Each structure stands twice: as structure tokens, then as C-alpha cells.
């Protein structure tokens, strides 16, 4: 049994259908990538998994049918969604943003230890721990958004454009950290990433979406060797 299974999933905003017949699965401790052009439905696929958009078909997590379940309930089952555009709470300090991420954890010592782990993963945040999130640089806000997701101790983390707006070296650091999170904490991942070369460093397999449908799907090596993938996503 896979940790996450999408079977023939469709999604729509109001009357407008956006995803059609999307099926893929993610195993325990596995990282899956979603590639595709702007508007292809990548973010919508993540929103379907975290319950933020109306879906058809079936989505199962850890053997349980989560189709149509409320987002807060899905989050409690162990799925953390780090959305596009960061979504940190600007009026709260870095520390309080991290505490909000630990919404299921009542034990203060555990929360403090988890904050320490996040500051170890993202050392840039340590010096800014008492600052309002709105005063962080774009890259630091991105790190905070990911760290807040980690604070929930998810079994599956959904990452939407984690490298967007980051300097190349920062983006590489963020992906190195994401790789570390997977090997140290065993977190499974679904990664949406414009920078396919970065994504391919972490993912085991990927799907390519074209106007809401899967056009290609397979293990990393297979996709990286395909002409159409190289041309469209790897710059030749
Ligand atoms: N809240 C919304 N209401 C109506 N239509 C939406 C909404 N969000 C997205 N869409 C539409 O759904 C389609 C898929 O959007 P989605 O955000 O999933 O694309 P994406 O692959 O993540 O693109 P990008 O690479 O630009 O982030 C697009 O046509 C988009 O205009
Ligand atoms: Mg998107």
C-alpha cells in the first residue's frame, strides 16, 4: 500500500475543470515531482491533496480515503502543505510562526526541540528568531514557510515552488536541506518546482502535467533522458 494514492482525480474551481484523470502514488520515504508549464495544474494538484479544492476521483493517504475531507483534518493526519508565495504570518515573529506550525504539539519541550531542529536546518533563521516575519528577505521567508511545515512533523510534505525567487546558491541550499529532511526524518514529499534540474536532485520519480492531464510519468532517470523533458524543462 502506498502512502499517498491519487486515482483518476479531477479538480475544478467553481464550474471550471482544471485537472482530469490524474493518477499517481507516493511511497513511504519517497519524493515525487510535478513538472509542467504555468497554469498546467501543478498547484491545483497539491491543493487537491490537501483538501483546498473540490475534487472527483479518489485520494487515499495511509490507507484512508481523504477525498473531500476538510483541510484541517487532512493536516492533522500528517500532510503539510507549503503553498506557493510563502504564506508566512507577517505580523508574527519567526518563533511564533514556527509555534503555529506545531499546532498539534502541546508539550513545550518538544516544541522547543523542534524549533532548534528547524534553526539547525535553516541557520539563517536563527539570527532573526525574534523578528517579524514580514521583515525577512524573500529567501528567508521561503525558509520559514518550509520550516513551519516541518514543525507539524508531517509524514508527507507538499512543496510548491520552494526555489521561486531565490538566488541559485540559496535555492541549492534549500534543496540540500529538503534532501536532509527526507533522509533524517523520513518525510515523504511531493515537490512542484519550475527549476527541474533542482527538482531532479531530490525526486525519485515525477509526473509532467499538460493542461491538467498527465502527459509523461516515470522514474527520474527515464524522464531526464527524454528529449521532450530535456528541451522543455532542462534547457536542452
Ligand atoms: N482560485 C482559482 N480560481 C479559478 N481558477 C484558478 C484558480 N487557481 C488556479 N486557477 C486556474 O487553474 C489552472 C491551473 O492553475 P494552477 O495554479 O494549478 O497552475 P500551476 O501549474 O501551478 O501554474 P504556475 O506554474 O503558474 O504556478 C489555471 O488555468 C489557473 O488559471
Ligand atoms: Mg503553481
Amino acid at each position: 500500500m502506498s502512502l499517498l494514492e491519487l486515482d483518476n482525480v479531477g479538480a475544478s474551481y467553481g464550474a471550471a475543470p482544471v485537472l482530469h484523470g490524474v493518477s499517481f502514488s507516493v511511497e513511504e520515504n519517497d519524493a515525487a515531482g510535478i513538472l509542467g508549464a504555468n497554469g498546467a495544474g501543478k498547484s491545483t494538484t497539491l491543493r487537491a491533496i490537501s483538501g483546498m479544492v473540490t475534487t472527483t476521483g479518489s485520494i487515499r493517504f495511509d490507507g484512508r480515503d481523504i477525498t473531500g475531507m476538510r483541510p484541517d483534518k487532512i493536516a492533522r493526519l500528517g500532510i503539510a502543505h507549503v503553498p506557493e508565495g510563502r504564506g508566512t504570518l507577517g505580523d508574527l515573529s519567526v518563533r511564533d510562526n514556527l509555534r503555529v506550525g506545531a499546532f498539534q504539539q502541546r508539550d513545550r519541550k518538544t516544541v522547543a526541540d523542534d524549533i532548534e531542529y528547524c534553526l539547525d536546518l535553516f541557520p539563517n533563521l536563527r539570527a532573526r528568531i525574534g523578528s517579524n516575519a514580514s521583515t525577512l528577505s524573500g529567501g528567508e521567508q521561503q525558509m520559514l514557510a518550509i520550516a513551519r511545515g516541518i514543525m507539524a512533523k508531517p509524514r508527507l510534505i507538499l512543496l510548491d515552488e520552494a526555489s521561486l525567487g531565490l538566488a541559485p546558491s540559496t535555492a541549492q541550499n534549500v534543496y540540500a536541506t529538503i534532501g536532509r529532511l527526507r533522509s533524517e526524518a523520513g518525510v515523504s514529499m511531493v515537490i512542484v518546482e519550475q527549476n527541474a534540474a533542482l527538482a531532479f536532485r531530490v525526486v525519485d520519480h515525477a509526473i509532467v502535467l499538460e493542461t491538467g492531464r498527465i502527459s509523461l510519468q516515470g522514474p527520474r532517470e527515464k524522464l531526464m533522458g527524454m528529449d521532450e523533458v530535456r528541451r522543455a524543462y532542462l534547457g536542452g
Side-chain angles (χ1 to χ4, degrees), residues 5-208:
E5 279 175 24
L6 277 73
D7 185 21
N8 199 22
V9 169
S12 52
Y13 296 101
V18 169
L19 291 183
H20 313 269
V22 170
S23 302
F24 68 94
S25 50
V26 181
E27 308 304 315
E28 199 95 42
N29 201 17
D30 182 24
I34 304 179
L35 305 177
N38 294 126
K42 305 181 297 297
S43 297
T44 304
T45 304
L46 298 190
R47 288 186 203 121
I49 298 166
S50 63
M52 298 192 315
V53 65
T54 313
T55 53
T56 57
S58 131
I59 306 179
R60 299 182 72 79
F61 178 66
D62 198 20
R64 188 193 296 235
D65 187 358
I66 62 167
T67 325
M69 210 181 256
R70 287 208 329 251
D72 58 319
K73 218 173 154 198
I74 292 176
R76 274 170 216 285
L77 292 176
I79 298 181
H81 187 166
V82 181
E84 232 172 353
R86 293 161 190 153
T88 54
L89 305 166
D91 289 342
L92 295 185
S93 68
V94 168
R95 183 183 283 108
D96 286 343
N97 265 274
L98 294 174
R99 284 187 180 138
V100 169
F103 64 97
Q104 295 199 88
Q105 182 55 256
R106 304 239 173 272
D107 181 58
R108 287 169 76 174
K109 170 81 169 76
T110 308
V111 173
D113 288 350
D114 291 349
I115 288 178
E116 234 354 86
Y117 180 68
C118 285
L119 297 178
D120 181 36
L121 283 175
F122 296 105
N124 297 48
L125 296 179
R126 192 179 287 280
R128 308 301 311 278
I129 187 80
S131 308
N132 264 16
S134 61
T135 68
L136 300 182
S137 76
E140 289 165 348
Q141 288 188 35
Q142 187 61 56
M143 293 174 204
L144 178 58
I146 298 169
R148 199 175 64 177
I150 295 169
M151 286 298 293
K153 287 215 169 79
R155 293 182 64 196
L156 175 72
I157 191 161
L158 312 174
L159 288 170
D160 201 344
E161 312 274 12
S163 81
L164 197 71
L166 301 186
S169 63
T170 311
Q172 287 187 14
N173 284 341
V174 164
Y175 269 87
T177 304
I178 288 167
R180 203 180 136 190
L181 177 69
R182 184 179 164 202
S183 57
E184 285 178 2
V187 181
S188 304
M189 312 183 162
V190 181
I191 293 174
V192 168
E193 182 52 66
Q194 289 287 337
N195 184 337
L198 262 185
F200 278 131
R201 289 185 180 196
V202 180
V203 304
D204 306 298
H205 58 102
I207 63 171
V208 178

